[in-house]
Amino acid sequence: MTQERANMPFGDLLTELKRLPALDRYSLTLYRRCAGAVASIGRFEPCATMVEDHLCREVSRQFFEENMEVFFDEGTPSVCRYGGGFFGFLIPFSMSGEDFCLVGDGVREASIDLWQLASLARDGGDAFSLLPYVESLCTASYEEVENVAEQVRLKIEQYRLPEAAGSAHAAVAQGQEPVGDAELAAVSQAMERLDKAATVTACIAICCETIVSAFQAASIAVALPDNDGKSFPVTGVWGLPDELGTVNADSLHLFVAPEKVKKTVLWDGKMRALLPEIRAAVCTIFPLKAQGERLGFLALFDTDVHTNAALLISMLAGAMAGKLSSIGKDATRSKENALSERLMSLTDTLLQIDSKDLLYESILKIASELIDATQGSIMLIDKDGVGMQIVFTQGMTLNVARCLQLKVGKGIAGMVAKTGQPLLVNDVEKDSRVAMANRSRFKSKSLICIPLKLKDKVIGVLNLSDKKNLRPFTHSDLQLLTSFANLASLMIERTEVLEESERFEQLSVTDPLTGLYNRRFLKSRLEEELNRSMRQGLNLTIIFIDLDFFKSYNDLCGHLAGDEALKLTADIIKDSLRDMDIVARYGGEEFCAVLPGTSKVEAMIVAERIRAGIESKRFPGESDIPLRRLTASLGVASFPEDGRSFNDLVHASDIALYEAKARGRNRIVAARTSSERGEPKHEIPEHRPVQTQSALAKTLDFNAYLEASLQSKG
């Protein structure tokens, strides 16, 4: 059976490959390197094809054939996007002493590039004439095509196994160490098991178990990249300690140099110096490489690996590398999806915050938790683009931090703010970009600075330091923090826009001098309260307050004193009211208070509290005015007896107010109700001049009024 496969025609090979479910929608074309008088030396020409879609086949032919020698020399599967969004893959391989390239095409990406599609139109047509046809093609993502290419590569590797068997028989004839059917079967089964493996540990276990059982390896180690991809920890998986050391990327060539790989060579001094835990005489190293990505190496020690055995182990190592790459990409996608979900959750959390200070605190807390940092700060660039201000800190006093003079372009954070590039420093004293003595408040010498950006504009910097375990921050920490920083920047902008909008809205409804609501807001709010009072059958009373002889006070004492008097009056009125009550500056020295759910009798008590408070208050310079005291007159009107609309109530209270003015000022007058027509208007009994009338007399007069009013209500 294996010999039949080794000698099968090229078309039959494609037929076998098409049995893979993943290739159902793909066209396949096999190219063979040929030489001779007709073809150019080294040129690849098609030798078999199975076409599912002719347009895709034509487009991929124009793309791949021109540089097929380059693709083959790369030695790894290639996935390409070309034309108007078509996808194709190319897998180079050698079999039976010949070089081949397998091209798969026939799918497109989800979006269609009309500009590129236009170049495919023929005979004067346009891109739109091809659009219905292209839309009918199956769609796939780049990652999906990569997975298909990897499955095809593994299948081709299995077809190459019989070739190794032929080499083994030839080796017997030449006196070399043969490789038996058992070894071939073991490797073939291992490759099938690798295709189903789901974890890195499972891949390594399958590969190493096969090598130990089939080739009697004495000891095995594997080097795989760390999270940052810049170093390769070496792990013993058979006959060696678990932790053997680390090889950095710059030293990896000592192990995977072309003159050393797939051959049994001496374990030399340079390699021994990097991995002193390995005490061996010889080694055989197999690079782990997939789709151009360097994944480390697999090493056998003190084992005599002959040429044919090395071929099978190399194929097994290649299959393991391909599967490790696929698992890594799946893990990356899963991590990205998990990060996206986490960022969505954090977005919901941050959207609930409407205060800048609370937002800064939450952002810094979340960022610290993401990468286990214990110290940090948020700096924002001033509007002038020159200075920077620390707006929140962790691990240091905020008040002290805000006193620091920071400028864009100066210091570590300043340079990040200027360049807009994130900075990861493992050691501030050794990193040439920083080269500074570590500060005493920092426990470690590692830090991360991330620019906070809105599109291309840098608005600030997020700084974090001192990991909980005091180890340096990693590239993964940097990537995670960069993703979160984009969200943090948007949340900062959103909160600032909301606060600015709220500030403008507040300015539009408030009086800038007193901070009270203005006349426009009062009208809107009073109408709302009137509607509510009508629906619920409640009372509502308004009080108009006007300072007596305020123009004279303003002329004699000055405008600054006048402004101060208005602010003090506003405070007295607010202190006399409930939280549910509304007070506004109606204009000039006139104020209006709205008391929902309050009858006229109850409102008179509040009005007297306001009047007495103004009378007893010491205003600046009031001793220089004729009466030597600043006072106020008040008019009171209620819903529904004095009016059922804003205009009616204001008119009624205004008449009462000017009645109070006409009767000598510094008094309260209630509006006349319809039932009181023809009767004297209710008012606080007239006050004598302030210098001669006692507070007790005023209180007695006021109590008499209340008693009379209550009796009339009864």
Side-chain angles (χ1 to χ4, degrees), residues 275-428:
L275 300 173
E277 293 293 325
I278 300 177
R279 297 177 176 85
V282 295
C283 67
T284 310
I285 296 176
F286 300 90
L288 298 176
K289 190 176 182 182
Q291 301 177 21
E293 182 182 7
R294 189 167 56 181
L295 301 177
F297 59 82
L298 172 73
L300 281 60
F301 298 96
D302 293 336
T303 302
D304 190 10
V305 182
H306 294 281
T307 303
N308 298 311
L311 174 62
L312 289 179
I313 296 173
S314 176
M315 292 170 61
L316 186 58
M320 183 178 82
K323 190 61 181 179
L324 290 177
S325 176
S326 177
I327 290 173
K329 290 176 180 178
D330 289 342
T332 299
R333 283 192 292 270
S334 177
K335 188 175 181 180
E336 289 174 351
N337 292 336
L339 176 59
S340 297
E341 292 177 1
R342 189 171 185 183
L343 289 177
M344 287 296 294
S345 175
L346 293 176
T347 301
D348 292 339
T349 300
L350 296 177
L351 282 174
Q352 304 302 317
I353 301 172
D354 54 8
S355 163
K356 282 197 295 188
D357 289 339
L358 288 177
L359 178 66
Y360 299 149
E361 180 181 6
S362 298
I363 288 174
L364 193 53
K365 181 180 179 182
I366 291 171
S368 299
E369 290 174 350
L370 285 174
I371 62 172
D372 288 334
T374 59
Q375 293 203 67
S377 64
I378 297 177
M379 301 177 180
L380 295 183
I381 299 176
D382 297 336
K383 291 184 178 180
D384 59 11
V386 176
M388 297 184 7
Q389 181 185 7
I390 297 177
V391 295
F392 210 85
T393 63
Q394 178 175 307
M396 65 182 298
T397 304
L398 180 58
N399 291 336
V400 174
R402 283 177 171 169
C403 295
L404 299 177
Q405 298 295 320
L406 305 168
K407 290 188 176 182
V408 175
K410 301 294 183 181
I412 299 175
M415 289 305 299
V416 170
K418 181 178 180 180
T419 63
Q421 298 298 316
L423 181 66
L424 168 61
V425 177
N426 287 329
D427 190 324
V428 294

Side-chain angles (χ1 to χ4, degrees), residues 424-590:
L424 168 61
V425 177
N426 287 329
D427 190 324
V428 294
E429 295 180 345
K430 295 180 180 179
D431 194 312
S432 59
R433 298 170 298 175
V434 180
M436 58 177 285
N438 190 37
R439 297 175 184 175
S440 58
R441 71 171 182 270
F442 297 120
K443 298 176 183 177
S444 73
K445 301 177 183 179
S446 180
L447 57 87
I448 289 182
C449 295
I450 303 289
L452 299 172
K453 290 183 176 181
L454 293 174
K455 295 184 178 179
D456 294 329
K457 181 183 178 182
V458 180
I459 64 170
V461 179
L462 174 62
N463 308 292
L464 290 168
S465 62
D466 285 356
K467 215 173 175 70
K468 287 181 179 178
N469 58 14
L470 298 183
R471 296 186 64 184
F473 292 108
T474 65
H475 186 67
S476 297
D477 293 331
L478 182 66
Q479 289 180 318
L480 181 58
L481 206 58
T482 300
S483 298
F484 175 68
N486 295 332
L487 170 62
S489 300
L490 291 174
M491 292 298 105
I492 289 173
E493 181 193 36
R494 171 184 173 274
T495 304
E496 288 185 343
V497 169
L498 287 177
E499 287 200 354
E500 190 74 4
S501 175
E502 185 177 331
R503 186 175 71 85
F504 281 121
E505 182 179 353
Q506 190 71 10
L507 288 174
S508 69
V509 300
T510 58
D511 170 52
L513 177 63
T514 62
L516 300 179
Y517 291 119
N518 59 23
R519 183 171 180 170
R520 182 176 65 176
F521 178 82
L522 175 71
K523 183 177 187 299
S524 171
R525 191 73 178 84
L526 180 53
E527 287 175 344
E528 290 178 7
E529 288 298 333
L530 280 170
N531 289 332
R532 188 170 71 89
S533 298
M534 290 177 188
R535 291 195 309 270
Q536 300 180 11
L538 300 174
N539 293 115
L540 181 145
T541 302
I542 66 171
I543 304 172
F544 265 78
I545 306 107
D546 189 271
L547 293 175
D548 299 327
F549 299 113
F550 184 73
K551 184 178 185 305
S552 299
Y553 174 86
N554 213 28
D555 293 341
L556 291 170
C557 299
H559 291 290
L560 292 179
D563 289 347
E564 183 64 21
L566 291 172
K567 289 190 283 187
L568 291 172
T569 301
D571 292 338
I572 292 170
I573 298 172
K574 285 190 293 184
D575 292 342
S576 303
L577 301 177
R578 303 165 297 181
D579 289 340
M580 64 182 290
D581 297 331
I582 306 155
V583 58
R585 185 181 178 192
Y586 200 72
E589 66 274 20
E590 194 171 14

Side-chain angles (χ1 to χ4, degrees), residues 122-309:
R122 298 179 181 144
D123 300 328
D126 57 26
F128 293 100
S129 65
L130 291 175
L131 189 58
Y133 172 76
V134 175
E135 284 183 328
S136 68
L137 297 175
C138 293
T139 61
S141 66
Y142 186 91
E143 290 77 12
E144 289 172 340
V145 180
E146 272 190 322
N147 289 334
V148 171
E150 181 60 21
Q151 292 181 48
V152 174
R153 186 191 69 80
L154 292 174
K155 195 71 174 177
I156 291 174
E157 289 288 357
Q158 293 179 22
Y159 279 100
R160 293 178 59 198
L161 288 175
E163 179 183 344
S167 299
H169 292 301
V172 172
Q174 298 176 14
Q176 298 178 16
E177 185 70 23
V179 175
D181 291 339
E183 288 85 351
L184 289 172
V187 171
S188 179
Q189 291 173 5
M191 292 175 70
E192 291 180 358
R193 290 170 61 198
L194 279 172
D195 192 37
K196 300 176 182 177
T199 66
V200 173
T201 302
C203 288
I204 295 174
I206 292 169
C207 188
C208 293
E209 286 171 6
T210 303
I211 293 173
V212 170
S213 61
F215 302 100
Q216 292 76 49
S219 55
I220 304 174
V222 174
L224 296 176
D226 205 344
N227 290 333
D228 58 7
K230 296 181 180 180
S231 58
F232 296 80
V234 183
T235 305
V237 292
W238 180 262
L240 291 169
D242 291 342
E243 297 183 2
L244 299 173
T246 300
V247 177
N248 60 43
D250 295 334
S251 302
L252 194 65
H253 69 280
L254 296 175
F255 299 86
V256 295
E259 65 273 12
K260 292 181 180 179
V261 299
K262 305 178 188 177
K263 303 172 185 176
T264 301
V265 297
L266 291 175
W267 181 244
D268 61 34
K270 292 182 179 179
M271 294 187 289
R272 193 187 306 275
L274 289 172
L275 300 173
E277 293 293 325
I278 300 177
R279 297 177 176 85
V282 295
C283 67
T284 310
I285 296 176
F286 300 90
L288 298 176
K289 190 176 182 182
Q291 301 177 21
E293 182 182 7
R294 189 167 56 181
L295 301 177
F297 59 82
L298 172 73
L300 281 60
F301 298 96
D302 293 336
T303 302
D304 190 10
V305 182
H306 294 281
T307 303
N308 298 311

